[in-house]
Amino acid sequence: MPQEMYKQATPYIPSKGESYMSSKQLMHFRNILEGIKFELGQDIDRTVHTMQDEATIFADPNDRASQESDMALELRNRDRERKLIKKIDETISKIDTGDYGYCESCGVEIGLKRLEARPTATLCIDCKTLDEIREKQVAK
Ligand SMILES: [Zn+2]
């Protein structure tokens, strides 16, 4: 998942003595997630329109080939966006259930800084690192 997908929102500065994942913090991350979801939704709408506009048949076979690969790329992007939207929905429901901000694997606080950079993070940095090492070993 490319990091640049996330528009950098103003980072949340917790007030002194504020507890982790206070209602204000949850509101902050909910806003970020809703914002990303909204933008992704607009991208998908735009893709659909582009594809409809371009559904003309080119007489030149070279044009046709490039049109087809454009479409394949668009479809792949849409698939990725749909998956990301699903992930965002899952993350928002974690906010609702009060599970947001804690590592799915070991239960520690993921941390505000990490969540600002990756609002959909479900693992703490340690578990994520272990996960990546394991993935690499499986790939070998
Ligand atoms: Zn963890």
Side-chain angles (χ1 to χ4, degrees), residues 26-87:
L26 290 174
M27 184 98 79
H28 168 77
F29 287 110
R30 185 192 288 271
N31 283 340
I32 293 178
L33 290 161
E34 299 275 5
I36 299 167
K37 198 180 146 186
F38 179 74
E39 272 177 32
L40 283 171
Q42 289 202 320
D43 274 358
I44 288 178
D45 285 348
R46 203 159 46 229
T47 309
V48 172
H49 286 141
T50 313
M51 285 181 57
Q52 279 162 355
D53 290 347
E54 287 175 359
T56 37
I57 307 296
F58 290 108
D60 186 335
N62 286 329
D63 285 348
R64 211 151 51 212
S66 82
Q67 184 197 24
E68 273 159 20
S69 66
D70 280 357
M71 276 204 182
L73 186 72
E74 288 284 6
L75 286 173
R76 262 204 306 277
N77 284 340
R78 274 168 73 188
D79 190 49
R80 223 182 351 237
E81 285 174 345
R82 259 198 223 103
K83 280 192 190 125
L84 192 51
I85 288 179
K86 193 168 161 264
K87 172 120 200 208

Side-chain angles (χ1 to χ4, degrees), residues 107-120:
V108 303
E109 297 177 0
I110 292 174
L112 285 181
K113 236 178 121 185
R114 177 158 159 74
L115 288 170
E116 295 285 358
R118 276 186 165 269
T120 54

